[in-house]
Amino acid sequence: MESRIRFKKVGSYGQILLENTLWISIACLNFSTALSSIFFGLFALYLLFGKMSRSQINSKNYSWFGWVGLMVFITIMVVSAGTGSSFNSILSYAQIKLPLLVMLLAIGLKRRFPQRNSSSWWFYLLPHCWIVAASCIHYWQHWQFYSLMVLESKPIPMYTQVYHIEYGALVALSVLMFVDDFFSKRIESRDTGWAMFVVGITVVGLHVLALRTGLILLYLGFLIVIWNYAKLQNLGRDRALKLLSIMLVVFIAAISILPSIRHRIINTVDDFSIIFKGGDTNHRSMGQRVEAWTAAISVIKSNPLGVGVEGEFNAMMKGYDDSQSQLAIQHRIGIHNQWLQIAVQGGWLAVILALSWLLGGVLKLPSGKWLILLIAGFMVESLLERQSGILISVLTLLPSMQDSKENSLEEEKNR
């Protein structure tokens, strides 16, 4: 009898791990991409063949969404293959895109996605809290030096191998998922106090590390979550305004107290001033981006059908020359804009398909407003070009495919 109880406990723990393999995969990105791929593979197998419970996200009505997205992927790859890319380059590119492809195939096959459960926050939030906290301790040991680095458009060092822009987005999405879970009452009451402490450290740390993209997505996401919560719960205008006021107070307090976030804002203002008034953009992150976008637009004008994956680098170097960029060779960065990157690689057709895929989701899906975060992220970073960015996109897609509260209640009644 006792051994049977132990077996059931082991089985329940195993089920919890299976249901959270996506979050474990994302946590592993911080130190091992290979381990991250293994756990995502387990998630894909569970998604396609696992036993699905009632509380999971239903995608049966969204097959058009999945197949249009799949068309985007295939279009980019076919065009790339037709413009001189080698087989190895295409294979490598396909491997990076695999997590998104698995998601889209699952939608097309009308599978049900595992919904976050009461244990999920341990996997999607706690690892980021540890990394953020450790990075903040390191920052405070050398805060004067690192605060000056921020003024020069440089990131504060962090204990993760994920690129700092994408890591900021990951942390922001983790916090937003927790807020969504809290409002949806998916967090167990016994864990609420501890979980609020963890999310508090994470939010403060995001400000201390001055992760600009992450903070933009965090506050934009707060607006979306508050809007959805107010709409579903029929909250009055006063309650919604109170939540927004708290958000504003947190931001103002962060600017007043923390030198790093204050310097990041000063740096951003200086960047825009140089962009609009003219000046040396070689050591300015926003200035370098604008130069890269200008070069990309020059490439797109000359190659409306795209230049492929392998042809992108040489085409961009020529684009920098054609646009008479003042950037030194070592500062000629990649495109840092997913929309322009899709256009450079796959042409305008791929961009039109990508827009129809994402905007169609915003307009049609029950929680499609989450996709606004992905659209915004695409404006400042080429998220679909690295494994971590692909998983960020997967993270953003999942809540977009959740049934609305009213539909979920209706489904429960019909069972």
Side-chain angles (χ1 to χ4, degrees):
M1 187 68 167
E2 187 176 341
S3 61
R4 190 177 299 175
I5 292 172
R6 286 180 181 174
F7 181 77
K8 284 184 177 179
K9 283 185 177 180
V10 171
S12 64
Y13 291 146
Q15 181 69 18
I16 288 172
L17 287 174
L18 276 174
E19 290 177 354
N20 290 287
T21 43
L22 176 60
W23 324 124
I24 297 172
S25 171
I26 290 168
C28 288
L29 272 176
N30 294 293
F31 56 89
S32 171
T33 52
L35 201 56
S36 175
S37 297
I38 290 170
F39 275 103
F40 187 86
L42 291 174
F43 168 74
L45 291 174
Y46 175 66
L47 179 63
L48 295 173
F49 305 110
K51 183 179 179 181
M52 300 297 171
S53 65
R54 287 185 178 183
S55 64
Q56 290 165 332
I57 301 171
N58 192 356
S59 65
K60 65 182 180 182
N61 298 321
Y62 312 135
S63 58
W64 65 271
F65 174 80
W67 292 121
V68 170
L70 183 58
M71 285 173 62
V72 176
F73 178 85
I74 292 174
T75 301
I76 294 173
M77 299 315 301
V78 169
V79 172
S80 298
T83 50
S85 294
S86 66
F87 176 76
N88 286 337
S89 175
I90 293 172
L91 184 62
S92 175
Y93 196 70
Q95 287 174 338
I96 293 173
K97 298 291 190 294
L98 191 59
L100 190 60
L101 182 59
V102 167
M103 291 284 295
L104 298 174
L105 282 173
I107 298 168
L109 295 172
K110 301 180 181 179
R111 299 298 292 167
R112 297 173 73 88
F113 292 87
Q115 195 174 45
R116 296 188 301 274
N117 53 47
S118 60
S119 303
S120 295
W121 73 272
W122 288 89
F123 301 98
Y124 70 71
L125 181 61
L126 199 56
H128 295 310
C129 177
W130 288 337
I131 292 168
V132 165
S135 301
C136 286
I137 291 170
H138 179 69
Y139 163 76
W140 284 117
Q141 289 173 336
H142 314 278
W143 70 271
Q144 291 177 316
F145 174 71
Y146 289 140
S147 294
L148 289 175
M149 281 179 55
V150 170
L151 280 174
E152 297 177 358
S153 297
K154 293 181 175 64
I156 294 170
M158 293 178 295
Y159 293 104
T160 174
Q161 67 176 17
V162 180
Y163 185 50
H164 67 96
I165 294 176
E166 291 168 355
Y167 187 70
L170 271 177
V171 175
L173 285 171
S174 297
V175 171
L176 292 170
M177 285 192 295
F178 173 82
V179 174
D180 187 49
D181 285 346
F182 179 77
F183 283 155
S184 302
K185 298 181 179 178
R186 280 194 287 265
I187 306 294
E188 291 186 10
S189 56
R190 66 183 181 185
D191 292 337
T192 301
W194 167 236
M196 292 297 287
F197 175 72
V198 169
V199 81
I201 290 176
T202 308
V203 170
V204 171
L206 192 61
H207 287 81
V208 170
L209 297 173
L211 295 167
R212 181 167 52 197
T213 302
L215 288 169
I216 291 171
L217 294 181
L218 179 71
Y219 283 100
L220 179 60
F222 275 152
L223 290 174
I224 293 170
V225 171
I226 290 170
W227 171 265
N228 285 342
Y229 179 63
K231 187 177 177 182
L232 289 177
Q233 300 293 334
N234 295 318
L235 294 180
R237 184 184 299 176
D238 293 342
R239 185 76 177 274
L241 287 174
K242 187 180 292 185
L243 290 172
L244 291 173
S245 299
I246 292 172
M247 185 176 72
L248 183 61
V249 167
V250 169
F251 184 66
I252 292 173
I255 295 173
S256 303
I257 297 170
L258 302 171
S260 52
I261 185 65
R262 189 166 61 251
H263 286 185
R264 182 66 72 192
I265 292 172
I266 293 171
N267 168 252
T268 302
V269 172
D270 288 344
D271 272 11
F272 279 108
S273 176
I274 288 174
I275 290 168
F276 289 112
K277 295 180 181 179
D280 185 7
T281 58
N282 275 283
H283 299 283
R284 297 288 176 175
S285 61
M286 286 302 299
Q288 289 176 3
R289 274 179 169 76
V290 171
E291 295 268 10
W293 298 343
T294 304
I297 291 170
S298 175
V299 172
I300 295 163
K301 286 179 179 177
S302 304
N303 305 273
L305 295 180
V307 299
V309 178
E310 281 195 345
E312 179 190 328
F313 178 79
N314 290 333
M316 279 296 295
M317 291 302 105
K318 184 177 183 302
Y320 274 115
D321 291 336
D322 291 344
S323 62
Q324 298 181 337
S325 172
Q326 301 301 310
L327 288 177
I329 296 295
Q330 64 269 26
H331 296 302
R332 293 186 174 186
I333 60 174
I335 298 174
H336 283 70
N337 181 302
Q338 189 61 60
W339 301 111
L340 292 177
Q341 189 123 19
I342 290 173
V344 167
Q345 291 177 352
W348 287 113
L349 177 60
V351 175
I352 291 169
L353 288 171
L355 279 170
S356 66
W357 165 40
L358 290 176
L359 292 178
V362 171
L363 296 173
K364 296 290 185 181
L365 294 173
S367 300
K369 292 183 182 65
W370 279 95
L371 287 174
I372 294 172
L373 294 178
L374 197 58
I375 292 170
F378 280 6
M379 296 298 292
V380 294
E381 186 60 34
S382 299
L383 289 177
L384 300 183
E385 305 307 309
R386 282 189 286 263
Q387 184 177 3
S388 54
I390 287 286
L391 289 180
I392 288 172
S393 303
V394 169
L395 270 182
T396 316
L397 285 168
L398 273 174
S400 297
M401 289 177 285
Q402 280 187 335
D403 293 326
S404 64
K405 190 175 181 182
E406 291 84 357
N407 291 343
S408 298
L409 291 174
E410 190 68 28
E411 190 176 342
E412 285 291 332
K413 289 177 184 177
N414 294 332
R415 285 195 181 103

